[in-house]
């Protein structure tokens, strides 16, 4: 049986990168995003809704696209895939914290986030962190282990 060409963490990173890039692109498409004519660059007053549920702005869509695109080259290596899942997971948890704790209506609230967005961000962040920790614990096949063997010493040998 031959060794796998890609590790599971690399496949997970590729799947997440594809999903995030797709979510970001879909946020710019009419039909998928309702009230697209109300899409704003940033700010909490964007009336555009992805799938009629998630509040979006051009900035938030671009964040998803960029995070997705960063994942493609990083998924090519074991260490890169794990770093991508960890880093993007932290970013999405931070987006959730931002949406949960920054007061709506304040000047600090520059991304339109609703409850559905917050649930999506904590879900994405949690899944990505979980994948990085669980799948990243596998042996990295790209690193060689040294095969130095030490002779066991016997009691009667002189040193």
């Amino acid at each position: 049986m031959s060794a796998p060409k890609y590790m599971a963490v690399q496949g997970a990173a590729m799947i997440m990168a594809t999903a995030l890039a797709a979510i970001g692109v879909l946020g710019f498409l009419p039909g998928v995003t309702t009230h697209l004519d109300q899409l704003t660059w940033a700010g909490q007053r964007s009336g555009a809704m992805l799938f009629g549920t998630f509040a979006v702005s051009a900035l938030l869509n671009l964040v998803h696209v960029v995070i997705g695109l960063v994942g493609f080259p990083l998924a090519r290596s074991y260490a890169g895939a794990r770093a991508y899942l960890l880093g993007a997971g932290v970013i999405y948890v931070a987006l959730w914290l931002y949406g949960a704790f920054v007061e709506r209506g304040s000047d600090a609230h520059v991304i339109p986030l609703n409850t559905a967005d917050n649930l999506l961000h904590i879900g994405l962040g949690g899944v990505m962190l979980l994948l990085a920790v669980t799948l990243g614990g596998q042996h990295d096949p790209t690193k060689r282990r040294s095969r130095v063997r030490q002779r066991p010493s016997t009691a009667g040998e002189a040193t």
Side-chain angles (χ1 to χ4, degrees):
M1 189 168 162
S2 66
K5 186 173 182 181
Y6 295 103
M7 296 296 294
V9 71
Q10 290 174 273
M14 187 64 74
I15 290 168
M16 292 304 296
T18 303
L20 291 172
I23 287 171
V25 169
L26 288 173
F28 291 110
L29 296 180
V32 180
T33 302
T34 58
H35 309 293
L36 192 60
D37 57 326
Q38 297 174 20
L39 183 71
T40 61
W41 167 249
Q44 55 190 327
R45 307 220 191 291
S46 179
M49 303 285 278
L50 179 63
F51 303 121
T53 304
F54 303 101
V56 294
S57 68
L59 178 61
L60 187 57
N61 289 339
L62 288 175
V63 166
H64 291 304
V65 169
V66 168
I67 291 173
L69 292 178
V70 165
F72 292 121
L74 289 175
R76 294 176 54 104
S77 73
Y78 172 89
R82 187 165 188 262
Y84 169 70
L85 290 171
L86 285 171
V90 167
I91 289 170
Y92 279 106
V93 168
L95 269 174
W96 168 71
L97 288 169
Y98 172 81
F101 294 110
V102 173
E103 183 181 341
R104 297 196 199 298
S106 73
D107 291 338
H109 214 282
V110 296
I111 299 174
L113 298 173
N114 58 16
T115 303
D117 286 307
N118 288 336
L119 292 174
L120 175 68
H121 292 149
I122 191 61
L124 285 171
V127 166
M128 292 178 91
L129 291 172
L130 184 66
L131 289 170
V133 170
T134 57
L135 298 178
Q138 300 172 340
H139 166 68
D140 182 356
T142 61
K143 293 185 179 176
R144 300 197 133 226
R145 294 185 182 212
S146 63
R147 298 188 184 258
V148 177
R149 288 188 175 186
Q150 294 182 358
R151 276 182 51 194
S153 62
T154 58
E157 266 184 46
T159 53

